[in-house]
Amino acid sequence: MRGAHPRLSLNQATVKYASLADALRVSGAAGIAAIGLWREPVAEVGLDKACRLVADSGLRVSSLCRGGFFTAPAGPARQAALEDNRRAIEETAALATAAAPGSAPVLVLVAGGLPAGDRDLAGTRERARDAIGDLVDDARAAGVVLAIEPMHPMFAADRGVVSTLGQALDIAEQFPAEAVGVVVDTYHVWWDPDLPAQIARAGAQGRIASYQVGDWITPLGPDVLLSRGMVGDGHIDLPGISALVEAAGYRGDVEVEIFNQGIWDDDPAAVAQRTAAAFAATAGVAG
């Protein structure tokens, strides 16, 4: 098959029901040269086997999703979250090392939402910042970049108290750029009127660790988490945002990450091929 766009990466979430081996296989068969991994499929086979599968695939790894979920107050739950993130850092380093040259040791962080009964959004965001401070030395030692992903405000209560790229950068810039960066995910940030300035700010600091694309389709479904559209199917000016990210200096792989039940229920090989075609036609990413 003719190769896909050279910077396209298929995030495993887009083919959620495929095993790690199958996700690697369908990506390669569609001519896609990189993959964004998720920890759950890696854990299903174990890290050692996952590294072998990745190495044998010849694909680059563009990121590992996900760490974070560390907004709990001091206590056993917070300590357990930090230890899990330290394991995620080790996994990120191992998988990026096993993968093809050009892979990125990037661990995507989703901060987490408000703990039960907590309404202090600013304080919860500060705890997320403090957690990154607890992890930054581990990340630097492993050569891993902790990439803070801002999430659309509709997820602030249950998934991500960091809602804007500006908020993510406010946290990231407190730490060395080689250890803490940000994720630009079009689905989460496209609405932000300050987005051009914040992407430029991220680029000036060398903080763009990952660029993910998905589309905003309407009407939103009953489960808004699963309401992402394939690139080109919705309202987001993907070429416009891609141009901003390019102008900010990002030259890494670009992940297509789609949470959508209809896409998940489709054949993973067909999804990979559709993703490659849609990305080439609509994402506006330079070769």
Side-chain angles (χ1 to χ4, degrees), residues 43-60:
E44 286 177 1
V45 299
L47 182 59
D48 289 344
K49 183 175 180 179
C51 287
R52 292 195 300 272
L53 289 170
V54 167
D56 290 344
S57 75
L59 300 183
R60 297 186 301 273

Side-chain angles (χ1 to χ4, degrees), residues 208-219:
I208 303 178
S210 178
Y211 179 38
Q212 297 179 336
V213 294
D215 222 329
W216 186 278
I217 53 176
T218 51

Side-chain angles (χ1 to χ4, degrees), residues 200-284:
R201 175 187 172 195
Q205 297 180 14
R207 299 275 182 185
I208 303 178
S210 178
Y211 179 38
Q212 297 179 336
V213 294
D215 222 329
W216 186 278
I217 53 176
T218 51
L220 295 175
D223 186 346
V224 293
L225 182 65
L226 305 187
S227 292
R228 300 191 196 195
M230 179 58 71
V231 290
D233 284 356
H235 304 284
I236 299 177
D237 177 11
L238 295 170
I241 297 177
S242 293
L244 293 171
V245 173
E246 296 281 340
Y250 183 74
R251 298 292 184 271
D253 288 321
V254 181
E255 297 183 6
V256 173
E257 184 186 55
I258 310 295
F259 287 67
N260 182 294
Q261 192 65 55
I263 290 174
W264 289 352
D265 288 339
D266 200 357
D267 174 56
V271 171
Q273 293 166 7
R274 177 185 172 193
T275 300
F279 184 88
T282 65

Side-chain angles (χ1 to χ4, degrees), residues 19-31:
S19 66
L20 174 59
D22 285 343
L24 293 165
R25 176 181 55 80
V26 301
S27 296

Side-chain angles (χ1 to χ4, degrees), residues 54-150:
V54 167
D56 290 344
S57 75
L59 300 183
R60 297 186 301 273
V61 167
S62 53
S63 74
L64 179 65
C65 291
R66 64 196 172 185
F69 291 92
F70 39 34
T71 55
R78 182 174 181 82
Q79 191 58 39
L82 291 172
E83 290 305 315
D84 184 60
N85 276 271
R86 292 187 175 100
R87 288 190 294 272
I89 289 169
E90 295 172 358
E91 294 162 10
T92 303
L95 290 161
T97 299
S103 294
V106 171
L107 175 61
V108 175
L109 300 182
V110 173
L114 291 167
D118 194 333
R119 291 174 175 81
D120 183 2
L121 188 60
T124 303
R125 195 176 296 126
E126 289 175 2
R127 289 200 295 273
R129 177 205 62 198
D130 293 344
I132 291 171
D134 288 337
L135 297 168
V136 69
D137 287 344
D138 299 276
R140 294 186 77 179
V144 168
V145 180
L146 304 175
I148 305 166
E149 180 173 12

